[in-house]
Amino acid sequence: MKKAFIILTTVLFATVAQGQTLTQQDLMGTWLVSNVENTNSNPKMASAMADAVINLYADNSFEIKEKQQSGANYTYKTTTHKNATWSYNPSTQTISTTRSKMELKITQTGGKTYFTDTDSGLKFEVTKPI
């Protein structure tokens, strides 16, 4: 009976761990930053990333667009370097970018997805609108 419990527990943990692993295909697309946590670690970057858009394209190009307020309307300004690319390491669940040398740790908690900038410590709650 004890062995059956140990086997059942091991299978349960393996299933939960596997369910949280994202693939590169899962990450491709447009991500909207809906919330920024740990804002005190880098207030300027936290302000810039509020309501930003992170695009991870299928050709591995990468861009961040910051929301710009201009009166009643708003626009987005691309802030990443030209020809920036991204790569994904599924074993560490991290996205690495060229040019800006940004590394984002991907986590999922309570049905929400987070990108944490490993350099600044800023944690971005992100959603895929489509």
Side-chain angles (χ1 to χ4, degrees):
M1 182 69 172
K2 188 176 180 180
K3 286 183 181 182
F5 178 74
I6 291 171
I7 291 171
L8 180 61
T9 303
T10 303
V11 169
L12 178 63
F13 281 116
T15 302
V16 169
Q18 182 65 25
Q20 294 178 350
T21 301
L22 294 170
T23 65
Q24 184 164 335
Q25 189 70 28
D26 295 332
L27 294 172
M28 281 186 231
T30 298
W31 294 87
L32 299 177
V33 177
S34 57
N35 186 36
V36 180
E37 298 179 10
N38 303 333
T39 56
N40 290 336
S41 66
N42 188 334
K44 186 176 179 181
M45 184 177 177
S47 176
M49 289 298 292
D51 299 316
V53 174
I54 301 171
N55 289 312
L56 303 172
Y57 296 111
D59 68 355
N60 287 81
S61 61
F62 163 80
E63 70 180 355
I64 295 177
K65 293 184 175 190
E66 295 175 7
K67 191 173 185 179
Q68 306 291 306
Q69 191 70 32
S70 56
N73 298 326
Y74 63 88
T75 57
Y76 284 92
K77 176 184 173 188
T78 301
T79 59
T80 47
H81 297 281
K82 188 174 183 174
N83 300 322
T85 61
W86 68 284
S87 61
Y88 177 62
N89 183 336
S91 63
T92 60
Q93 294 284 289
T94 55
I95 294 172
S96 298
T97 66
T98 61
R99 307 261 181 203
S100 62
K101 303 295 184 200
M102 181 181 272
E103 184 175 83
L104 300 171
K105 175 76 175 157
I106 315 305
T107 55
Q108 292 183 310
T109 306
K112 296 180 180 181
T113 303
Y114 298 92
F115 291 179
T116 303
D117 179 36
T118 58
D119 186 41
S120 71
L122 290 173
K123 186 174 185 178
F124 311 116
E125 181 182 336
V126 294
T127 58
K128 262 187 164 178
I130 299 174

